[in-house]
Amino acid sequence: MMKKLWPHARPYAKWIGFGILCSGAEAVFELLIPLVMSDIVDIGIANGDQSFILRKGGLMVVLALVSLCFGLGSAVCSSVAGQGFGANLRRAEYDHIQTFAFSNIERFSTASLVTRLTNDVNNMQLSLMMGMRLLVRAPVMLVAALFLAVRISRQLSNVFLVSLPLLAVVVAVILARVNPIFRSLQEKTDALNLVVQENLTGIRVVKSFVREPHEEEKFSRRNSALKSTSERAFGAVVINMPIMMLIVYGTIIAVMWFGGKLVYAGALDTGKLITFFTYITQIMMSLMMVSMIFMMLTRSVACARRIVEVLEEVPSITDQEAQSQQDGDGILHPAVVADGSIRFDHVSFKYVPEAAEWILRDIDLEIRSGQTVGILGGTGSAKTTLVSLIPRLYEATEGTVLVGGRPVKEYTMEHLRDAVSMVLQKNTLFSGTIRENLLWGDPNATEEELWNACRAACADEFLERLPDGLDTDLGQGGVNVSGGQKQRLCIARAILKKPKVLILDDSTSAVDTATDAKIREAFARELKDTTKLIIAQRVTSLCDADLILVMDGGRIAARGTHSELMEHCALYRDVYRAQQEGVSIGG
Ligand SMILES: Nc1ncnc2c1ncn2[C@@H]1O[C@H](COP(=O)(O)OP(=O)(O)OP(=O)(O)O)[C@@H](O)[C@H]1O
Ligand SMILES: [Mg+2]
């Protein structure tokens, strides 16, 4: 685990080293102070030597100031290193998440990824900061104070033989108890974040179904689960305090008892006894620090494990098998998609490898470049799944998907997805202006090209009515445009890529029939060479396609042109008739 995390801290190695040195030095100077004090009592006060007392008093002030300076230095170094480490870790996680395929993200859930990126990293950075301050300071204080205490009186130091092992046992017991609780604490945080995230992204649905009370209840359930787990974890941690205090005071009483006797018998100076007390406090304080460090480390080990899980997740779709091809001059280039032909060669697919049921079963399909293919089928018949395999959003479990005559694996994702443009069923616009969103399709598109794409997607009419036109600000996730307008902008964005294959997944569902027809006409005119796959619920959206696929339960139940299907496929005929009736009743 350290091997995975250390590279992100390495750029701050100097700060870490310097900070640790500072905190060690701080501890040493703090330890010298009681020694001077012992001199003041035993020599200065005993002899009534005022100038000696003043001189030694001055020395104590200087020592305290030096120790303060080192303390400040260590604080500065630890914050620089801690914050820097946190930032590096966050960036590494974020960058790695960008390489994830959908299936990787589904395995973690987005809420958990957010927690791992924020909360867990915060914990790690706090641990590093505290660790740098205490990890050296506490043992240095402990060993030095013990050494000095033994030097003052070996006899009296025997007290530690009882109290130190006792403390160790207490700490060990507490650590064993909190360790599992800390892991579950982070999981509870995930669960809470999931509720918050779902609620906020779906706030419109929540409000329209008046589900606020239900959502509140769901939130408060998870919130109290988190609270009770935290209480259990930190309850065990704070119990640490009173038990330790009990042992500390027990030790002090024992030292008073035996020390008093020694002083009485003349075997020990009063000054030495006072100094001894200071050391006991320091020993006990540093033991408390050590136990605190252990608690903190236990928690950050839980967090570190979660972060490393993300960093070690192997993206399920990579460019590893991408192939090169030679150009005319014999120079090797990554393979590019030659044309828009698509072939499914006995493809089967399931989202979860362990699932018993196949989502797609033995699909065999051949689409020529430039064809328009309509896909029809009931909800859950795996239409979206089928087309997702073309831009390799998911990987076929069995069989091969070929685009432009090559298996999709042989292209880099960049080249494949440049050539295959998909308008998703749940499409998204990002905050920013309309222009910025459209430029995702082609960053170098001219004004002319932008408007052409918008015209093809029938987005021009409403854009012209907007006072700021293309520069209208969309707000977060495109809340400022209607559902149909959003769909048209997403289509325009996909067209701008000038793809070899264009996939529209139910992308005109919120567009009226007349506009839908206009968009299809524009496609036939503007995108002659592009293979077009159109998933639609309305038969009228598909009936002029070169090939229509009727999907049913993960299989292609029937295929053919509109007239062929009307003749042979009862299912298709029924759907068509039902929809025509709907039109005649509605119209
Ligand atoms: N990410 C996913 N993980 C697991 N199962 C999924 C996932 N997405 C879809 N499924 C399952 O796969 C099946 C096919 O889903 P798909 O989205 O392809 O259907 P569809 O034909 O597009 O439906 P619709 O017309 O409603 O869009 C469904 O039974 C669904 O439960
Ligand atoms: Mg779908």
Side-chain angles (χ1 to χ4, degrees):
M1 202 154 59
M2 278 309 285
K3 219 161 69 194
K4 206 71 192 163
L5 294 177
W6 173 242
H8 307 293
R10 193 164 35 216
Y12 295 92
K14 273 197 204 123
W15 290 93
I16 295 176
F18 197 62
I20 290 177
L21 279 182
C22 278
S23 81
E26 180 193 6
V28 170
F29 280 96
E30 243 171 77
L31 282 167
L32 292 176
I33 295 175
L35 279 183
V36 180
M37 180 131 106
S38 148
D39 280 353
I40 292 181
V41 176
D42 286 346
I43 302 170
I45 295 181
N47 302 341
D49 183 348
Q50 202 162 5
S51 77
F52 181 86
I53 295 177
L54 276 178
R55 232 175 25 248
K56 289 286 173 175
L59 183 61
M60 269 172 84
V61 172
V62 172
L63 288 177
L65 282 177
V66 172
S67 151
L68 179 72
C69 288
F70 278 119
L72 280 176
S74 135
V76 169
C77 291
S78 67
S79 5
V80 170
Q83 301 293 345
F85 171 59
N88 278 353
L89 208 53
R90 261 193 302 271
R91 192 174 48 223
E93 262 193 280
Y94 189 73
D95 286 353
H96 191 59
I97 291 173
Q98 301 303 310
T99 68
F100 279 11
F102 288 179
S103 53
N104 296 107
I105 292 179
E106 280 157 15
R107 187 149 54 242
F108 284 104
S109 93
T110 39
S112 173
L113 284 176
V114 171
T115 327
R116 286 161 201 249
L117 205 64
T118 51
N119 191 312
D120 288 348
V121 172
N122 283 350
N123 260 319
M124 293 297 298
Q125 100 188 18
L126 201 68
S127 296
L128 179 68
M129 283 163 66
M130 300 276 282
M132 277 176 61
R133 300 272 291 134
L134 302 182
L135 206 60
V136 172
R137 187 186 154 84
V140 165
M141 292 278 263
L142 183 65
V143 173
L146 261 178
F147 173 75
L148 293 171
V150 172
R151 229 189 50 174
I152 289 177
S153 165
R154 178 158 308 162
Q155 246 176 321
L156 214 46
S157 301
N158 286 339
V159 175
F160 296 128
L161 289 180
V162 180
S163 55
L164 290 187
L166 205 61
L167 271 177
V169 171
V170 170
V171 173
V173 168
I174 292 177
L175 279 181
R177 277 205 43 177
V178 293
N179 194 10
I181 309 181
F182 275 137
R183 176 91 193 174
S184 111
L185 191 63
Q186 296 312 102
E187 275 158 20
K188 295 269 162 40
T189 315
D190 279 358
L192 185 74
N193 282 0
L194 180 68
V195 177
V196 174
Q197 192 198 2
E198 272 188 352
N199 176 280
L200 291 181
T201 44
I203 190 74
R204 282 146 203 270
V205 185
V206 172
K207 293 228 173 276
S208 63
F209 280 84
V210 200
R211 292 282 282 180
E212 290 99 329
H214 173 85
E215 287 290 309
E216 273 165 27
E217 137 101 40
K218 205 158 75 176
F219 178 82
S220 68
R221 231 187 1 250
R222 307 254 172 121
N223 200 16
S224 29
L226 179 61
K227 181 176 136 233
S228 68
T229 314
S230 318
E231 275 171 1
R232 273 198 302 140
F234 293 105
V237 172
V238 291
I239 276 257
N240 192 20
M241 268 321 230
I243 297 182
M244 289 200 114
M245 278 312 189
L246 198 68
I247 299 175
V248 170
Y249 284 116
T251 316
I252 290 180
I253 290 171
V255 169
M256 275 183 180
W257 176 261
F258 295 116
K261 280 190 169 173
L262 286 176
V263 171
Y264 209 65
L268 191 71
D269 297 335
T270 325
K272 293 261 167 61
L273 185 61
I274 293 175
T275 317
F276 199 90
F277 274 123
T278 324
Y279 288 134
I280 297 182
T281 328
Q282 268 166 357
I283 290 169
M284 293 299 163
M285 287 291 278
S286 42
L287 277 174
M288 263 191 251
M289 277 192 248
V290 170
S291 74
M292 234 170 67
I293 294 172
F294 273 119
M295 306 274 167
M296 210 176 54
L297 283 184
T298 326
R299 175 151 202 214
S300 53
V301 165
C303 295
R305 205 174 293 139
R306 286 159 50 91
I307 293 173
V308 170
E309 264 170 20
V310 174
L311 291 176
E312 280 184 344
E313 173 81 359
V314 182
S316 47
I317 298 180
T318 61
D319 285 344
Q320 246 158 28
E321 287 172 61
Q323 308 243 324
S324 306
Q325 63 184 23
Q326 276 186 347
D327 66 3
D329 304 325
I331 300 168
L332 282 178
H333 290 288
V336 289
V337 180
D339 59 33
S341 64
I342 297 166
R343 193 150 75 86
F344 280 70
D345 186 10
H346 296 287
V347 171
S348 298
F349 176 79
K350 40 182 150 185
Y351 284 98
V352 197
E354 303 83 44
E357 284 281 309
W358 290 98
I359 303 285
L360 280 175
R361 268 172 298 178
D362 198 30
I363 302 284
D364 230 7
L365 177 65
E366 177 108 43
I367 299 168
R368 284 194 306 281
S369 188
Q371 271 192 323
T372 301
V373 179
I375 303 175
L376 192 77
T379 300
S381 58
K383 305 179 293 294
T384 301
T385 311
L386 178 80
V387 294
S388 304
L389 300 184
I390 301 171
R392 213 176 158 209
L393 298 182
Y394 292 94
E395 194 97 81
T397 317
E398 281 175 13
T400 322
V401 180
L402 297 96
V403 176
R406 271 173 181 272
V408 284
K409 270 186 196 175
E410 294 187 4
Y411 301 108
T412 62
M413 267 177 284
E414 190 189 344
H415 284 103
L416 178 68
R417 291 178 189 169
D418 253 355
V420 181
S421 207
M422 182 157 169
V423 181
L424 298 172
Q425 195 166 16
K426 278 184 276 176
N427 48 32
T428 319
L429 294 169
F430 285 78
S431 43
T433 63
I434 292 181
R435 183 191 304 278
E436 281 164 4
N437 271 282
L438 291 179
L439 289 178
W440 280 49
D442 176 7
N444 304 317
T446 60
E447 191 76 15
E448 181 66 29
E449 285 170 322
L450 286 179
W451 280 104
N452 267 343
C454 291
R455 260 192 296 280
C458 288
D460 53 330
E461 32 193 291
F462 85 87
L463 281 179
E464 275 158 9
R465 269 185 280 123
L466 293 173
D468 293 328
L470 284 177
D471 293 309
T472 307
D473 193 37
L474 276 178
Q476 190 191 355
V479 286
N480 297 350
V481 286
S482 77
Q485 290 168 342
K486 191 167 156 185
Q487 286 191 332
R488 292 181 220 191
L489 288 177
C490 289
I491 295 175
R493 179 171 68 183
I495 294 176
L496 271 169
K497 270 169 87 172
K498 300 187 200 70
K500 300 240 162 55
V501 179
L502 177 66
I503 301 169
L504 301 184
D505 189 355
D506 225 358
S507 307
T508 52
S509 58
V511 176
D512 59 277
T513 339
T515 313
D516 186 18
K518 258 167 74 185
I519 294 177
R520 271 179 293 122
E521 270 168 38
F523 279 178
R525 201 174 53 241
E526 308 271 333
L527 303 169
K528 262 201 274 311
D529 302 326
T530 302
T531 310
K532 296 161 284 278
L533 281 91
I534 302 173
I535 298 179
Q537 305 289 350
R538 286 194 291 246
V539 177
T540 47
S541 307
L542 307 172
C543 51
D544 47 3
D546 302 311
L547 173 70
I548 299 172
L549 308 174
V550 182
M551 297 287 298
D552 188 24
R555 289 176 186 279
I556 300 178
R559 60 182 92 189
T561 59
H562 175 64
S563 51
E564 284 166 5
L565 286 172
M566 281 302 277
E567 207 170 306
H568 301 300
C569 180
L571 186 67
Y572 186 81
R573 226 168 16 234
D574 289 347
V575 175
Y576 182 72
R577 295 238 167 87
Q579 290 189 358
Q580 286 308 98
E581 268 168 37
V583 169
S584 56
I585 293 167

